[in-house]
Amino acid sequence: MARRNLNELLGFVTVAREGSFTRAAATLGVTQSALSQSIRALEERLQIRLLTRTTRSVSTTAAGERLMLAIGHRFDEIETELDALTALRDKPAGTVRITCGDHILQSTLLPKLAPLLRTYPDIKVEFDMNYGFRDIVADRFDAGVRMGSTIDRDMIAVPIGPPLRLAVVASPKYFAAHPAPKVPRDLTEHRCINQRMPTSGGLYVWDFERRGRKVNVRVDGPLIFNTAPPQVDAALAGLGVALLPEDEVMSHVTAGRLVSVLEDWCPKFAGYHLYYPSRRQPSPAFSLVVEALRYRG
């Protein structure tokens, strides 16, 4: 029997994942025309349509979805094994893909990884800046970064920073015009800076706890954001009260640009963790990245 053309199959898997011939061609380093011809040849050889093409998108047919489920993970396994072969080299190599937020990248990931990347120049790290809960398996990331309490149980979670707590902050100018809240319920009388949750799409309900007593407060105000940096900027501008991880605002509190209130209502919680699938066979490069990021107290 004639051997199948694996390049055609790889091309199909890449197009199916990217949902675009343009992005798939860029990923594979081939022209869009060559990739289109390769997929057409595969469909003619199998005598079945694998992809549905429109002017705006590409999606798999029922046959294409079945083929994708059957072979897609095989290419991932091959790539993982090829990466593992770097263990036989003097220096590990390969690309590690991580999805995370801006602040944790700047405050933790880059400072911790800089020495590693200088020692192992053949290791590359690609960052995807995203505040949503990405499916790292489906999106082919090696790992992601989240707060420890939000990680699925089937993932391995490695702490990369100390426990954190939230901070209720506003500018001195704001509190000069509005009396500082003494208990969480007082926040309903304040102009608060809201956050749109990336998963549910709803507004974040501010939650507090003191001596075992929990209080949830739905706040209101003039601004809504879906990431933390603009909330910090808005609080600095005196536009309202913000609830943010303490490490993102502490430098401003120390400098007097922001004032922290309700501190006794903000207990500590599990901080940032690097998470990845428990069934993942780590490459030497990935193992070094994990160890470089691991928090040791």
Side-chain angles (χ1 to χ4, degrees):
M1 181 178 68
R3 188 179 295 271
R4 303 290 187 187
N5 187 330
L6 293 183
N7 286 335
E8 292 178 352
L9 292 174
L10 177 59
F12 161 72
V13 169
T14 307
V15 172
R17 282 175 168 164
E18 296 291 342
S20 163
F21 275 91
T22 301
R23 291 194 297 269
T27 299
L28 294 171
V30 299
T31 66
Q32 184 175 342
S33 174
L35 180 58
S36 180
Q37 292 177 10
S38 175
I39 299 299
R40 190 176 296 110
L42 176 62
E43 291 177 324
E44 290 177 354
R45 187 173 298 109
L46 296 177
Q47 296 185 348
I48 195 168
R49 178 65 63 87
L50 300 174
L51 297 171
T52 298
R53 306 160 176 83
T54 68
T55 56
R56 294 186 177 182
S57 65
V58 179
S59 60
T60 54
T61 63
E65 184 66 19
R66 176 175 177 176
L67 181 61
M68 181 66 187
L69 292 174
I71 69 172
H73 67 285
R74 302 297 185 188
F75 283 102
D76 295 336
E77 292 171 358
I78 292 171
E79 186 173 339
T80 297
E81 290 301 320
L82 291 175
D83 286 342
L85 291 179
T86 62
L88 303 178
R89 298 175 50 180
D90 293 335
K91 292 185 177 181
T95 299
V96 177
R97 302 184 70 229
I98 300 175
T99 178
C100 62
D102 294 80
H103 175 73
I104 190 63
L105 171 65
Q106 297 172 3
S107 67
T108 302
L109 302 186
L110 287 181
K112 285 190 171 186
L113 290 177
L116 174 72
L117 297 177
R118 284 193 288 267
T119 303
Y120 298 97
D122 292 332
I123 294 178
K124 298 180 181 179
V125 183
E126 177 183 344
F127 294 103
D128 171 79
M129 313 313 297
N130 195 293
Y131 283 83
F133 286 177
R134 299 292 296 270
D135 184 336
I136 62 173
V137 175
D139 294 337
R140 303 185 71 197
F141 288 103
D142 295 290
V145 175
R146 286 188 199 168
M147 298 295 185
S149 60
T150 64
I151 297 175
D152 295 337
R153 292 183 178 180
D154 62 344
M155 294 284 174
I156 294 176
V158 177
I160 61 175
L164 298 174
R165 67 174 184 169
L166 295 175
V168 182
V169 296
S171 71
K173 177 181 178 181
Y174 176 86
F175 280 137
H178 306 81
K182 293 183 172 27
V183 295
R185 292 295 180 191
D186 292 345
L187 290 166
T188 59
E189 304 300 322
H190 283 264
R191 294 167 65 84
C192 295
I193 301 166
N194 260 309
Q195 176 169 327
R196 181 77 63 185
M197 300 302 291
T199 49
S200 65
L203 295 180
Y204 177 63
V205 177
W206 293 16
D207 54 320
F208 302 92
E209 182 177 350
R210 187 176 68 172
R211 295 193 290 271
R213 179 190 174 194
K214 296 183 179 181
V215 177
N216 295 326
V217 181
R218 292 188 179 275
V219 300
D220 192 19
L223 294 169
I224 301 173
F225 299 102
N226 66 343
T227 62
Q231 295 179 63
V232 177
D233 293 339
L236 289 169
L239 297 175
V241 182
L243 178 66
L244 293 161
E246 189 178 52
D247 67 317
E248 300 201 24
V249 297
M250 187 48 60
S251 62
H252 298 298
V253 173
T254 301
R257 293 185 292 269
L258 291 175
V259 176
S260 178
V261 297
L262 299 176
E263 294 180 354
D264 56 339
W265 283 94
C266 299
K268 290 186 176 181
F269 57 91
Y272 290 105
H273 285 62
L274 185 81
Y275 67 98
Y276 54 94
S278 58
R279 62 181 180 276
R280 188 185 195 282
Q281 181 65 35
S283 67
F286 181 76
S287 296
L288 286 171
V289 167
V290 172
E291 290 307 310
L293 295 176
R294 187 186 299 274
Y295 177 69
R296 293 176 171 81

